[in-house]
Amino acid sequence: MSLASYYPPLGSFGCMSSTMHAIVQDSFGGPEVLRLAEVPRPAPLPTEILVRVHAAGVNPVDWKTRQGGGMAGVLGEPPFILGWDVSGVVEETGFGVTIFEPGDEVFGMPWFPRQAGAYAEYVTAPARHFARKPRAFGHEAAAGTPLAVLTAWQSLVDTAALGSGQRVLVHAAAGGVGHLAVQLARHAGAYVIGTASAARHDWLRSLGVDEVIDYTTTRFEDAVRDVDVVLDLVGDSHDRTSTRSLEVLRPGGLLIAVPSGVAPELVERARERGVRATGILVEPDGAALARIAELIDKGELSVEVEDVFPLAEAAEAHRRGERGRTRGKIVLRVP
């Protein structure tokens, strides 16, 4: 079946329909639970904007939530619409919105961890969850940016206050968050160390990584010492990466564990070693995205989009992501 058959005209006489197409799931499970459906089109409340979605980012939290993990505890039982990364055009503004007008190109990570419903033709959210799309990016690259870059920014800039001359270790440096984190660290003037498979090393060096460790052949704790900040994008569930990372921190250093947070026993172990450990959960931040967009337009930050799928093929996008070893991001194109 052609994609055109999934998307009939939105209404007669050029009128906007009261419905839209979205990827809905009615139960937890594998990628097959994702289905294309026609649902009511949202309308903006005061201080909100209605965004016509051109592309939506796909992140690990999406397929974890689809399975019943991730943010499922926040969203509750299905049905719901997944997705938080959005790039598109403002269609309508609610009362009180002063920073955007219809026709403005925007990108953002609205509502996280509540439902944003980015796998859809339209989303509504507070205007200040968005920023103007970087001029240097098309919608697909912009859609691959917000959740990943805000995770990196809020970890390294807001939480760690990473500065010039410090040493930072980024686990899974070639992934969606990782490849943006190493660029932000480099921009801050830090000495950047990353773990990745050998096939990614040359690419990571081109992004400014000073030292790359092949995690498939080398135990990182045997190769690096005196690190100020570890950004752990792997977690203790995989070979005790967070716990092992405590060994490479200098006194007073900081471990930021993203995927599964930090267990109380890890916090205590860190305290005994004279270092710190914390988890983080990313938050919507349009102001930070505006600063990040400036870096992008200056050529100081780039995003790698490895695969783009049509919205109707969201299940296949999830399958691709769950296979792992993605270089950068996966994105859905919304017709």
Side-chain angles (χ1 to χ4, degrees), residues 1-218:
M1 183 181 294
S2 70
L3 285 177
S5 64
Y6 281 110
Y7 297 96
L10 286 178
S12 59
F13 307 108
C15 297
M16 182 180 291
S17 171
S18 62
T19 62
M20 67 176 183
H21 294 96
I23 298 295
V24 176
Q25 70 174 83
D26 300 303
S27 62
F28 294 120
E32 68 279 358
V33 303
L34 301 177
R35 64 181 181 88
L36 188 69
E38 192 168 352
V39 300
R41 179 175 59 84
L45 297 174
T47 76
E48 292 185 348
I49 57 176
L50 173 70
V51 177
R52 171 67 170 91
V53 180
H54 285 229
V58 177
N59 296 286
V61 68
D62 299 6
W63 56 79
K64 292 175 183 178
T65 302
R66 188 207 71 226
Q67 296 167 341
M71 294 300 112
V74 177
L75 299 187
E77 293 292 319
F80 50 68
I81 300 170
L82 285 172
W84 285 275
D85 274 343
V86 173
S87 182
V89 177
V90 176
E91 187 84 19
E92 184 180 339
T93 60
F95 174 78
V97 174
T98 60
I99 59 174
F100 297 121
E101 298 178 350
D104 286 342
E105 294 187 318
V106 296
F107 75 138
M109 185 201 69
W111 291 121
F112 191 86
R114 296 164 58 188
Q115 177 175 284
Y119 292 9
E121 291 179 314
Y122 294 91
V123 298
T124 54
R128 293 179 188 272
H129 286 190
F130 293 89
R132 295 184 187 277
K133 181 181 73 63
R135 296 183 302 276
F137 277 7
H139 285 293
E140 291 166 6
T145 303
L147 190 148
V149 80
L150 285 176
T151 301
W153 182 277
Q154 290 168 17
S155 297
L156 298 179
V157 178
D158 295 342
T159 302
L162 190 68
S164 179
Q166 290 189 304
R167 289 164 57 84
V168 59
L169 169 62
V170 179
H171 290 303
V177 176
H179 85 290
L180 291 163
V182 298
Q183 294 177 76
L184 289 176
R186 186 65 174 172
H187 178 74
Y191 182 88
V192 186
I193 308 162
T195 64
S197 62
R200 308 296 195 205
H201 287 197
D202 287 345
W203 173 58
L204 286 171
R205 290 190 184 97
S206 76
L207 296 180
V209 177
D210 297 287
E211 185 178 339
V212 193
I213 300 168
D214 184 352
Y215 68 90
T216 67
T217 62
T218 305

Side-chain angles (χ1 to χ4, degrees), residues 56 70 82 124 183 187 231 258 273 276 296 309 326:
L82 285 172
T124 54
Q183 294 177 76
H187 178 74
L231 180 58
V258 175
R273 295 183 64 92
R276 297 170 292 150
I296 293 169
F309 294 83
T326 304

